[in-house]
Amino acid sequence: MDFTRGQRLKLEAMGLSDGAFSVTVDLNAGPLTVDVACFGLDGVRKLSDERYMTFFNQPATPCGAVKFAGQGKFDFDLARLPASIDALVMTVAIDGAGTMRQLGASSVSLKNGSSVAGCYRFDGGHFASERAVMLLEFYRKDGAWRLCAVSQGFNGGLDALVQHFGGSVAEKPAPAPAQQRPAPAAPPPPAPPKVSLSKITLEKRGEKISLEKRGQAGHGRIVCNLNWSSGQTQEKRGFLGGVFGKAKSSGIDLDLGCLFELSDGHKGAVQALGNTFGDFNRAPYIHMAGDDRTGANSSGEFLYINGDHLKDLQRVCIYAFIYEGVANWGQADGVVTLTVPGHPPVEVRLDNHDNSKNMCAIAMIENEGGNLKITKLGEYFAGHVQLDERYQWGLRWKAGSKD
């Protein structure tokens, strides 16, 4: 099935009701250098979480619902998207000179396995001076996923596209004034600008924020992500290559976990060590999503808290520890991000350089009359026992390993 500019279709009508399919952007770009990306947007069509921008240098969303497979191809599994993501927009942006008017016969196709479910065909005649274009939008409506062939863009390029989605781009330095005589060789150009999205960064120990629930359902799925790098960098290309920083190294094994106390007084821990992965839909309403032992997963590790059961949770202490690969947190360059649907992400960086303290208490999440109170802890310990004693959990610990 071919569809046209502005047309809207239900994915079910295209045989894609399960939401698992691939999207391939095939560009006849000629001399142009064009980057393809997928933006995951919230209910007000904003990129509130920069981890849901998928492209060659950030090849997967945290939930694995969108994966960049190379050569303009993306694999989708819409059932895995969190409730906070309501739309996915496929975009193309020119890196360098030129406009979309220079495109030859191009297309974006949807495939279910090897079968083509739909195709949108376009060329430079669809555009004027645009340098960035929204091609397709996949969006939720009335409980079903739909598709719209948007095919609209921005003369200002990727900068304007990012700003349209609620981000801001660092200003580029003004050009140097003209020289009346030969000038010494110019320094190398500055690094490409980085998207700066709305977020809350807890800088000081004890700093608190309180988040009110949105609507009657509760707080939804609260996502806690631990990510890290070793200071190594990936090869970058064009503007998109500079949007995000360092690549996560292999060989570093950092673990995310938590202590929990339920409203009925029951206490415990959720972590990969000991294979206590928890349960999202039953007590303790906290689930640890696997264990990245090699550092090969660029998205890091994830802990999910069922915010719709906040009434059953009294407090949760988020922590992380170094299992192997680095001597201290400063070397790992770790960062933990807490994302509550409908609110800006909360970020806490791990930067302690003490080799004797490989355990970090990151944040305390507490039920405060139905609202979430998040407090930065930022304290480092030699191990679980010392952390437990500090926050008076009273659990009994014994040595363990993953072998």
Side-chain angles (χ1 to χ4, degrees):
M1 164 192 310
D2 280 9
F3 45 92
T4 59
R5 186 177 192 174
Q7 188 172 358
R8 297 176 183 270
L9 297 165
K10 289 185 177 180
L11 294 189
E12 183 179 6
M14 302 173 68
L16 302 173
S17 56
D18 63 355
F21 55 93
S22 66
V23 180
T24 302
V25 180
D26 186 10
L27 297 174
N28 183 358
L32 301 175
T33 299
V34 183
D35 289 315
V36 184
C38 176
F39 286 78
L41 309 179
D42 60 22
V44 291
R45 295 301 193 268
K46 299 300 180 184
L47 181 65
S48 56
D49 187 341
E50 63 188 21
R51 297 172 303 159
Y52 281 86
M53 178 180 177
T54 311
F55 63 110
F56 65 89
N57 211 31
Q58 182 164 274
T61 59
C63 59
V66 182
K67 297 179 180 178
F68 176 65
Q71 301 299 316
K73 180 182 176 183
F74 293 75
D75 292 325
F76 282 15
D77 187 354
L78 301 182
R80 301 177 69 176
L81 277 174
S84 58
I85 302 298
D86 275 346
L88 297 171
V89 181
M90 299 299 305
T91 69
V92 292
I94 294 174
D95 174 27
T99 68
M100 293 295 176
R101 187 164 40 190
Q102 296 172 253
L103 289 175
S106 303
S107 66
V108 53
S109 57
L110 281 61
K111 290 186 178 180
N112 187 354
S114 59
S115 302
V116 177
C119 185
Y120 170 56
R121 305 180 191 280
F122 59 95
D123 56 36
H126 286 66
F127 310 109
S129 300
E130 295 94 331
R131 300 186 63 251
V133 168
M134 300 178 290
L135 285 177
L136 298 183
E137 179 180 359
F138 301 90
Y139 61 99
R140 303 182 205 251
K141 184 178 180 182
D142 299 329
W145 280 93
R146 303 171 186 238
L147 161 71
C148 176
V150 182
S151 198
Q152 295 179 355
F154 305 86
N155 294 356
L158 188 62
D159 294 35
L161 179 65
V162 169
Q163 290 165 3
H164 175 74
F165 291 143
S168 60
V169 181
E171 294 184 4
K172 300 173 184 176
Q179 299 286 335
Q180 299 301 317
R181 10 176 223 185
K194 180 177 180 177
V195 175
S196 175
L197 298 166
S198 173
K199 69 175 66 171
I200 300 169
T201 302
L202 298 182
E203 300 283 0
K204 299 178 181 179
R205 183 184 301 175
E207 190 172 354
K208 298 177 174 64
I209 60 168
S210 183
L211 304 179
E212 297 181 355
K213 67 179 181 180
R214 303 284 178 92
Q216 297 300 316
H219 291 277
R221 187 173 74 159
I222 302 166
V223 181
C224 181
N225 170 246
L226 167 66
N227 213 334
W228 63 91
S229 74
S230 68
Q232 298 172 344
T233 56
Q234 292 177 337
E235 181 181 356
K236 295 180 173 66
R237 173 176 63 85
F239 185 95
L240 284 174
V243 172
F244 298 98
K246 292 177 274 189
K248 190 151 74 69
S249 76
S250 61
I252 298 177
D253 186 0
L254 308 183
D255 283 339
L256 184 65
C258 74
L259 301 174
F260 65 83
E261 181 178 359
L262 302 183
S263 298
D264 62 8
H266 177 69
K267 298 178 182 179
V270 173
Q271 62 177 27
L273 190 62
N275 295 319
T276 52
F277 289 96
D279 193 298
F280 186 78
N281 294 308
R282 295 191 296 269
Y285 306 106
I286 303 169
H287 175 61
M288 178 73 200
D291 177 26
D292 178 18
R293 299 192 182 188
T294 66
N297 183 356
S298 62
S299 299
E301 294 201 350
F302 289 88
L303 190 71
Y304 299 104
I305 302 172
N306 191 335
D308 292 337
H309 279 269
L310 186 62
K311 62 181 176 56
D312 299 305
L313 293 165
Q314 185 61 35
R315 58 175 180 156
V316 179
C317 177
I318 304 295
Y319 61 75
F321 59 95
I322 300 170
Y323 188 76
E324 62 184 7
V326 287
N328 59 60
W329 286 103
Q331 292 178 359
D333 191 24
V335 60
V336 169
T337 305
L338 284 164
T339 304
V340 181
H343 299 279
V346 179
E347 182 180 275
V348 178
R349 305 202 72 87
L350 313 179
D351 54 6
N352 188 275
H353 288 77
D354 187 340
N355 291 358
S356 68
K357 296 181 178 179
N358 66 349
M359 190 91 180
C360 179
I362 297 162
M364 188 75 74
I365 299 176
E366 296 173 274
N367 180 350
E368 194 175 60
N371 295 329
L372 279 176
K373 183 172 75 173
I374 301 175
T375 305
K376 178 179 178 178
L377 302 178
E379 293 191 76
Y380 295 83
F381 305 90
H384 290 75
V385 174
Q386 292 76 16
L387 182 145
D388 182 300
E389 291 175 349
R390 171 68 177 85
Y391 299 106
Q392 301 178 1
W393 236 267
L395 301 181
R396 298 176 64 182
W397 298 91
K398 63 180 182 179
S401 73
K402 300 183 184 181
D403 299 326

